[in-house]
Amino acid sequence: NGEHILDIPCGSGYYADFIVEAGANVYGVDLSPEMIAVFQKKGYNGEVGNLETFSLGRKFDKVLSAGGFEFCKNHKKIIDTLLSHTKVGGTIILLLPRKSPFGYLYKTYHKLCNKTDIVLFSERDVVTLCTQDYINSLQLHKCSLFSLLVRIERK
């Protein structure tokens, strides 16, 4: 309640609805101007930006990134950028497709239907990405046959 949460990529505001319902303030960033328009139509503040290169010049209590990481290439830079937007003691939550049979089905779907090559993640991959000195703790949870939930606490 009362926290300031960054939702990136925010899409049309699926997670923002839950964030606001819980009493927090949400700010969204998405690559798609159309998604930001829908997000703002719901009454939320946000702007167009790229997960790999955005810079807002402010910090948030929590940062949520669900559903965009796998389409990017420079994951280490994204972690650094997300951390730079997180207050000391704040938390980053990532939802990533994991290396599993269902993850490979998801990857195949994108390759065949969208002509897009996505990245799947193992727990080891995430640990390698999160070796920065300003990470206090890292928790990994296989939250489904498909997803890996990552919780990063910033020092």
Side-chain angles (χ1 to χ4, degrees), residues 77-144:
K77 182 177 183 338
I78 294 170
I79 294 290
D80 287 341
T81 303
L82 295 177
L83 283 164
S84 75
H85 286 82
T86 308
K87 291 179 180 177
V88 172
T91 303
I92 297 170
I93 301 292
L94 304 174
L95 187 62
L96 307 173
R98 66 183 178 96
K99 291 178 179 173
S100 70
F102 288 98
Y104 286 105
L105 284 173
Y106 178 64
K107 183 177 177 82
T108 301
Y109 166 80
H110 277 288
K111 188 73 164 176
L112 295 175
C113 297
N114 301 327
K115 309 291 186 247
T116 302
D117 192 26
I118 65 163
V119 178
L120 301 177
F121 298 88
S122 68
E123 291 175 340
R124 177 177 285 172
D125 295 332
V126 174
V127 169
T128 301
L129 287 172
C130 297
T131 57
Q132 291 88 343
D133 290 335
Y134 40 92
I135 292 177
N136 191 38
S137 70
L138 174 65
Q139 297 173 357
L140 305 164
H141 305 280
K142 292 177 183 172
C143 60
S144 73

Side-chain angles (χ1 to χ4, degrees), residues 1-29 39 42 44-45 60-66 91 93:
N1 195 15
E3 290 184 320
H4 295 275
I5 300 177
L6 173 62
D7 184 2
I8 179 168
C10 63
S12 63
Y14 176 80
Y15 292 107
D17 293 340
F18 296 105
I19 291 168
V20 170
E21 186 177 306
N25 302 296
V26 67
Y27 191 85
V29 175
F39 189 80
K42 288 182 166 185
Y44 304 138
N45 293 318
F60 296 83
D61 299 300
K62 290 187 174 79
V63 175
L64 170 66
S65 185
T91 303
I93 301 292

